[in-house]
Amino acid sequence: MNSKLKDIHMDALFEGILSLGSVEECYNFFEDLCTITELRAMAQRFQVAKMLDEGQIYSDIVRETGASTATISRVNKCLVYGTDGYRTVLDRTKEG
């Protein structure tokens, strides 16, 4: 965990997110909290993470998502060297 990030306000935000009970509640909360651009960027990064996890190559990811190679590289770095945040969600949401 990034100790520079952790504080009582972040804890309250994450506890609030954990209290949401449906996708619709998530839409409502995140549309109030974030700009459309911020939400689309987060969704794009998650899509990139899923595609990298599936073994897809950068050129295919760029073509399908519109993400820059810098974004893809950063997401890949998080998958390999990060705090396993992506890994946790990817594993829990895998279709199977």
Side-chain angles (χ1 to χ4, degrees):
M1 179 189 336
N2 185 343
S3 61
K4 293 180 183 178
L5 186 62
K6 183 163 178 51
D7 66 19
I8 62 169
H9 305 293
M10 274 300 197
D11 287 352
L13 171 63
F14 294 144
E15 288 169 12
I17 292 168
L18 289 170
S19 77
L20 299 170
S22 68
V23 172
E24 186 64 29
E25 287 182 357
C26 287
Y27 269 102
N28 293 338
F29 179 72
F30 282 97
E31 282 185 47
D32 285 349
L33 181 67
C34 303
T35 66
I36 299 298
T37 302
E38 291 167 335
L39 285 170
R40 287 196 174 135
M42 287 188 280
Q44 181 187 64
R45 278 181 248 145
F46 189 60
Q47 183 180 6
V48 166
K50 289 195 308 190
M51 293 176 77
L52 286 167
D53 191 51
E54 294 165 357
Q56 295 193 38
I57 60 173
Y58 276 37
S59 59
D60 290 342
I61 297 170
V62 167
R63 185 173 55 259
E64 189 169 325
T65 68
S68 69
T69 56
T71 295
I72 298 167
S73 180
R74 177 161 191 320
V75 170
N76 191 53
K77 181 180 175 185
C78 290
L79 283 169
V80 175
Y81 302 109
T83 60
D84 288 332
Y86 279 123
R87 173 63 37 224
T88 298
V89 175
L90 289 169
D91 289 348
R92 290 181 184 170
T93 59
K94 270 193 179 143
E95 297 174 20

